[in-house]
Amino acid sequence: MRTEGNLTRLDRVFARLDREPERPAHIDVPKMSRHRVVLFAATLAFYVAIVWAVAITSWLVRLDWQVMFFRPYQQWPSIHAFLDYYVVLGQRGPTAVMVAAWLGWRAWRQHTLRPLLTLGASILLLNITVGAAKLGMGRLGPHYAITIGSNEMGLGGDIFPSGHTANAVVTWGILAYLASTPRARRWLSALSAVTSLGVGLTTVYLGTHWLSDVVLGWAAGLLILLALPWCEPLIARAEAGIFTLRDTWRARRGLGAPAPAAPPAHAPVSTPVLVKQSTVAEEEVPAHEAAAAARSPRAPVYLAPGPHTARSERTPVTPVGSRRPPHSDRTPRTTTTTSARPLAGG
């Protein structure tokens, strides 16, 4: 039989998540409203238009080459060092760790796995959609371009759309998606938009992406955020499945738990007579002695072992002889000297 003291760390985590209420009442799961469907359709149409414009080598490709020949990193070299660090906000590994730490704390406080599962679903969609588009179109980056004025597609590249930009939109936008209040959602939406915009323009400045790569990356990330409400039922089932597996695992561990040990055979069994005697003995003890015994349960080491008698029960002992130490230079007083001394007034 398991007790609270034997809980493992995983048991304590799930016990924390099981505390009532499981979810705060003021948090509502976003649904696929008509407004969101319209935005999703418009963004998807924009995504297809960008791909088509690059595929037919339109004015957008010419703009890409003009920006590349402008070489922004040579025009403003003083900000190069700062932007080398700022672009990390779009890398998948560091951003996922930072956001997962925050959402893990949110999941702990709200007693639900939904924040972490939503982050996992968004990253999975990002890897599938953006990764497939990169490999499918195979566009080369500005540093590896071969023919001036060409769209550089189908040559084995993997930069169209921009993964840094799409990852910044999804990773920082998920904070706004999971916000608890409308005000927090507005502020976090603005913050994630500015961050992803800065990351995309930084890649253009560094010359690692075409401008059209960044525009398509923004659209790809926004499509994932707009499509997340369709994944909410799956996220809820995954959360319920995880807790069901946890309960099954606990039940199996409970069946194999050892039974409580029986008391040893040589242990003394107290009888009513002994209990009564001990009770009477305790009542006869004075209050001050009981308090002293409570303060010092063990006898001090300097006391001799064995029973001790009270002062009234001890045999009186009369001291023999004088208690004063002997002095050889003094003459002892006698009755003769005392009688020979003249009386005062005689």
Side-chain angles (χ1 to χ4, degrees), residues 89 142 240 288:
L89 295 177
H288 66 277

Side-chain angles (χ1 to χ4, degrees), residues 253-300:
R253 292 187 64 184
L255 291 176
H266 61 274
V269 180
S270 59
T271 62
V273 177
L274 294 178
V275 173
K276 184 175 180 180
Q277 291 177 357
S278 62
T279 306
V280 173
E282 290 176 0
E283 292 177 356
E284 293 178 355
V285 177
H288 66 277
E289 294 182 10
R295 287 193 301 268
S296 57
R298 292 184 179 180

Side-chain angles (χ1 to χ4, degrees), residues 81-145:
F82 169 74
L83 293 181
D84 273 339
Y85 290 100
Y86 182 80
V87 79
V88 176
L89 295 177
Q91 288 184 359
R92 197 159 306 164
T95 55
V97 170
M98 289 187 287
V99 174
W102 166 254
L103 293 182
W105 183 83
R106 284 275 305 275
W108 182 269
R109 295 291 297 172
Q110 295 179 356
H111 322 302
T112 175
L113 296 176
R114 178 177 169 261
L116 291 176
L117 293 176
T118 306
L119 176 64
S122 63
I123 292 178
L124 181 61
L125 288 175
L126 179 69
N127 290 333
I128 293 174
T129 57
V130 176
K134 282 174 173 287
L135 297 178
M137 289 181 276
R139 191 181 188 189
L140 293 176
H143 292 312
Y144 303 98

Side-chain angles (χ1 to χ4, degrees), residues 50-51 53-54 60-61 63-64 139 151 159-162 204 209-218:
I50 295 297
V51 173
V54 173
L60 186 57
V61 175
L63 179 61
D64 287 340
R139 191 181 188 189
N151 58 15
I159 54 98
F160 186 63
S162 170
V204 175
H209 279 288
W210 306 100
L211 182 60
S212 57
D213 298 342
V214 173
V215 175
L216 194 64
W218 285 330

Side-chain angles (χ1 to χ4, degrees), residues 48-61:
V48 174
I50 295 297
V51 173
W52 177 254
V54 173
I56 64 173
T57 317
S58 65
W59 60 270
L60 186 57
V61 175

